[in-house]
Amino acid sequence: MNAKNPKSVPQLTLTSVHPTHEQIAQRAHQIWLFEGRPTGRERQHWIIAEALLQAEIDCDLTRRQIMARRHHRQTIDNTHVTPPAAHRYAHSLPRLTALNA
């Protein structure tokens, strides 16, 4: 947590799929402050903070997986462009230019 801004939330980095000890401690401290600084609830705050951070990581990973699938699907769709029907069958149509000559 930033000393100048006690409400700042630590940014999660996806270097791993689990929150760091520092991130959990900062979030538990924020929860403790939000609840009015109660005594004897350190373990509950820690568990809640860890669960919240893990949910954020899981949500972000899921979002990234969905976006990657969409990008992959879009890339496949863009590389296999089928021409319009008129161009597909142009080779089988009679040539009209010979009639106009």
Side-chain angles (χ1 to χ4, degrees), residues 1 6-7 28-42 45:
M1 179 166 38
K7 292 187 178 186
H29 182 75
Q30 290 172 346
I31 294 168
W32 175 71
L33 290 174
F34 181 78
E35 289 188 357
R37 302 177 181 187
T39 57
R41 303 226 28 235
E42 296 85 9
H45 293 155

Side-chain angles (χ1 to χ4, degrees), residues 9-59:
V9 178
Q11 294 297 318
L12 293 177
T13 58
L14 293 178
T15 55
S16 71
V17 292
H18 301 292
T20 65
H21 180 78
E22 182 182 329
Q23 291 169 329
I24 298 169
Q26 289 175 349
R27 186 63 63 89
H29 182 75
Q30 290 172 346
I31 294 168
W32 175 71
L33 290 174
F34 181 78
E35 289 188 357
R37 302 177 181 187
T39 57
R41 303 226 28 235
E42 296 85 9
R43 183 158 171 75
Q44 289 89 351
H45 293 155
W46 186 271
I47 292 169
I48 292 168
E50 188 174 20
L52 288 172
L53 289 167
Q54 187 64 54
E56 289 175 21
I57 290 172
D58 292 346
C59 182

